[in-house]
Amino acid sequence: MDTTASKVSRIDRKIKKCTLCPLHKGRTNAVPGDGPIHDLNIMIVGEAPGRNEDLAGKPFVGSGGKLLDSILKEAGLNRSEVYITNIVKCRPPKNRKPKTHEVETCTSNYLERQIELLKPKLICTLGATALKYFTGETNMGENHGKLVRSKKNDGLSFFPTYHPAAIFRNRSLKEVLQEDIRKIPFVLKKVKEEGANKQGIV
Ligand code: URA
């Protein structure tokens, strides 16, 4: 096995056995993430596994995941080309929002390491928890559908949008999410061209 693959498997194994925060107590399965690990263009980061994800050990396999898959497909993106993970890897009780110390523990031990290893060119954040974690912003209305450079993760490019679950509460957001996700291939192209320019390739 090559080094990236073995390092990713090592993190996955650690996540599956993790007891660093109280969320481990209620889980059936931890959900490390899923997707390609070489030449990764897009990483999608949600909030936390829900009931179906906890049972399956895979991210976004419930109704929100099905909606996400279909919106990605409409935008010409196949789920198999993106790496999907979450801010926290274990399901919070009754799907409550993860607490600050749970976010800090899980991201500092796992998500940051996944990003370092997989080096995604663009990180699409779904929902308020991922938006706040990566960009410090709290206003989704002002920040969705735009390329955001993070102050925290040097050189990383973020594209925040709504969480698919928000559409079940407010149907009018479906078109907004669709429109945002349709922009991703163009935003990715821009980010790649900028990267190539910086390295003197173009
Ligand atoms: N919601 C999330 O944020 N992540 C999942 O994996 C499933 C639902």
Side-chain angles (χ1 to χ4, degrees), residues 31 45-50 53 58-62 64-65 84-86 126 163 165:
V31 182
V45 183
E47 179 177 284
E53 291 75 21
K58 299 256 180 238
F60 283 98
V61 292
I84 306 189
T85 187
N86 285 297
L126 301 180
H163 195 288

Side-chain angles (χ1 to χ4, degrees), residues 168-185:
F168 301 124
R169 296 187 291 270
N170 178 354
R171 301 304 298 190
S172 69
L173 287 177
K174 184 170 180 188
E175 272 177 33
V176 182
L177 179 61
Q178 282 171 317
E179 221 172 88
D180 285 354
I181 300 248
R182 259 185 238 128
K183 290 184 196 163
I184 290 182

